[in-house]
Amino acid sequence: MILGIGSDLANIERIAGTIERFGARFKTRVFTEVEQAKAERRADVAGTYAKRWAAKEACSKALGTGLRMGISWRDMAVSNLHTGQPVMHLTGWAAERLAQMTPAGHEAIVHVTLTDDHPWAQAFVVIEARPVRDPLP
């Protein structure tokens, strides 16, 4: 069952300008150390940050809150599996909100996909609830 869907479109040039203007202050406020390390290793630094910005916005929408009600940018973080697939991690208030949304007997799965085509970065987040299966005897 689908618990939430969110999408966001971010302008890469706007994010680049914000990074240029505020530098580490912006990066530290919005992105985890893992996200910053990933972005700084990439050829398209601003594009990488913009995709993660869009993912955080999309996730907050899927959680049904937007960026209000105590949710923090850093409560939502994107990393990648060895295959390159993006994965969303929730902590703090975002994780609490996810737990509140998840029906009893279910586990929540947060799906995220990212794309960019300069000057745009886009993210979609779908939160799914799957029934928890009893382990085999």
Side-chain angles (χ1 to χ4, degrees):
M1 114 183 37
I2 302 298
L3 299 179
I5 299 172
S7 68
D8 193 67
L9 186 65
N11 185 287
I12 296 169
E13 293 171 5
R14 182 176 148 250
I15 297 296
T18 302
I19 291 168
E20 186 176 310
R21 184 172 177 198
F22 297 104
R25 190 170 119 212
F26 168 71
K27 293 175 187 178
T28 302
R29 179 173 175 247
V30 176
F31 301 101
T32 65
E33 290 178 14
V34 171
E35 290 173 310
Q36 291 178 57
K38 172 79 171 184
E40 297 299 328
R41 286 192 308 266
R42 302 296 298 265
D44 184 9
V45 173
T48 302
Y49 279 120
K51 285 186 279 189
R52 278 150 178 75
W53 171 280
K56 291 166 186 272
E57 287 275 8
C59 185
S60 71
K61 293 170 186 175
L63 290 168
T65 64
L67 285 162
R68 58 180 177 87
M69 298 176 53
I71 200 165
S72 166
W73 288 103
R74 293 171 55 101
D75 285 347
M76 302 166 288
V78 178
S79 67
N80 296 84
L81 299 177
H82 71 281
T83 60
Q85 176 185 349
V87 179
M88 180 68 71
H89 305 277
L90 303 181
T91 59
W93 194 90
E96 291 173 22
R97 172 67 180 147
L98 181 62
Q100 292 169 355
M101 295 172 59
T102 306
H106 289 73
E107 64 179 342
I109 310 296
V110 181
H111 304 277
V112 61
T113 187
L114 309 172
T115 192
D116 65 288
D117 187 6
H118 197 86
W120 301 106
Q122 185 175 35
F124 287 97
V125 171
V126 176
I127 301 175
E128 172 189 13
R130 293 184 188 163
V132 175
R133 298 181 186 208
D134 291 328
L136 297 175

